[in-house]
């Protein structure tokens, strides 16, 4: 019993390192919450920043599956992740992206939202994405793409990941004007700001020792 609880992290004697079981629950929980945030945004035709935002833009423009686009667009960034961040981070991120992509596609089978105001969807979607990403970051993973770059820049140069992500998000929002209405972009910006402020305030590698 002691061995089992230790493996699960209940009696983890090293607070600076997560056990495999702790990492697994963190990846699953983070992916579930992030997928729910993306689902809220999709229900009212909103988008977000980062690679998910680009996947949304292409999804609204082409009608192709968001989950598939999100998974495929992230593939090139794993090269950077392997070279700059490490195998462990890359594998965890690959699993998180794959799981999140799958969950977004099947979410409607378990949850049907008949009506929600765009501004509320933007705020809730942004917060849920923030909580999901925070869980993934704290287990040395991300939702790939620009998140990989953001975490690398934070670790290498000390610029917070949320601020790095926000800069890229503004570029994604500019592209969105080509495929959605200005009001949709405005609501989406609200969600992106909520997401990135949440990460900027809550994600600091010097505060959370398990990231070292």
């Amino acid at each position: 019993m002691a061995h089992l609880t230790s493996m699960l992290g209940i009696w983890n004697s090293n607070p600076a390192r997560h056990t495999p079981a702790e990492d697994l629950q963190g990846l699953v929980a983070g992916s579930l919450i992030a997928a729910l945030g993306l689902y809220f945004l999709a229900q009212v035709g909103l988008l977000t920043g980062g690679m998910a935002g680009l996947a949304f833009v292409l999804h609204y423009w082409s009608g192709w599956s968001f989950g598939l686009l999100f998974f495929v667009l992230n593939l090139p960034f794993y090269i950077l992740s392997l070279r700059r961040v490490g195998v462990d981070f890359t594998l965890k991120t690959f699993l998180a992206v794959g799981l999140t992509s799958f969950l977004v596609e099947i979410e409607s089978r378990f949850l049907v939202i008949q009506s929600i105001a765009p501004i509320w969807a933007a705020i809730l979607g942004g917060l849920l994405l923030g909580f999901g990403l925070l869980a993934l970051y704290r287990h040395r993973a991300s939702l790939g793409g620009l998140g990989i770059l953001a975490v690398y820049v934070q670790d290498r140069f000390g610029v917070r990941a949320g601020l790095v992500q926000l800069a890229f998000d503004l570029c994604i929002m500019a592209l969105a004007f080509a495929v959605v209405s200005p009001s949709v972009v405005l609501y989406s910006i609200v969600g992106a700001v909520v997401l990135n402020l949440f990460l900027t305030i809550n994600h600091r590698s010097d505060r959370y020792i398990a990231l070292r």
Side-chain angles (χ1 to χ4, degrees), residues 168-200:
F168 288 112
D169 288 350
L170 294 176
C171 296
I172 298 297
M173 294 302 170
L175 289 175
F177 280 105
V179 295
V180 296
S181 68
S183 62
V184 168
V185 176
L186 179 60
Y187 287 126
S188 299
I189 290 175
V190 171
V193 170
V194 169
L195 161 64
N196 287 288
L197 285 178
F198 178 87
L199 290 178
T200 300

Side-chain angles (χ1 to χ4, degrees), residues 36-188:
L36 183 59
L38 292 171
Y39 182 69
F40 267 93
L41 296 176
Q43 290 307 290
V44 289
L46 301 183
L47 55 143
T48 186
M51 202 51 61
L54 183 57
F56 268 127
V57 170
L58 294 176
H59 167 66
Y60 294 142
W61 175 68
S62 66
W64 296 342
S65 163
F66 168 81
L68 178 61
L69 286 168
F70 181 54
F71 181 79
V72 171
L73 287 172
N74 274 297
L75 293 178
F77 286 87
Y78 296 125
I79 299 174
L80 170 65
S81 181
L82 282 170
R83 292 179 177 177
R84 298 294 186 179
V85 190
V87 176
D88 184 61
F89 179 90
T90 303
L91 290 176
K92 290 178 183 177
T93 296
F94 181 81
L95 291 174
V97 170
L99 181 57
T100 300
S101 300
F102 173 72
L103 290 170
V104 171
E105 290 301 306
I106 67 169
E107 196 82 54
S108 61
R109 300 181 183 180
F110 305 99
L111 176 65
V112 177
I113 301 175
Q114 295 185 352
S115 177
I116 183 171
I119 186 63
W120 199 236
I123 294 172
L124 287 179
L127 282 174
L128 287 167
L129 270 173
F131 274 106
L133 282 170
L134 187 63
L136 295 176
Y137 286 169
R138 288 186 171 181
H139 289 270
R140 296 298 295 170
S142 77
L143 283 182
L146 300 177
I148 293 174
L149 186 58
V151 171
Y152 167 71
V153 170
Q154 173 168 287
D155 290 344
R156 180 67 175 81
F157 301 105
V159 180
R160 293 191 187 180
L163 293 177
V164 176
Q165 190 81 43
L166 181 58
F168 288 112
D169 288 350
L170 294 176
C171 296
I172 298 297
M173 294 302 170
L175 289 175
F177 280 105
V179 295
V180 296
S181 68
S183 62
V184 168
V185 176
L186 179 60
Y187 287 126
S188 299

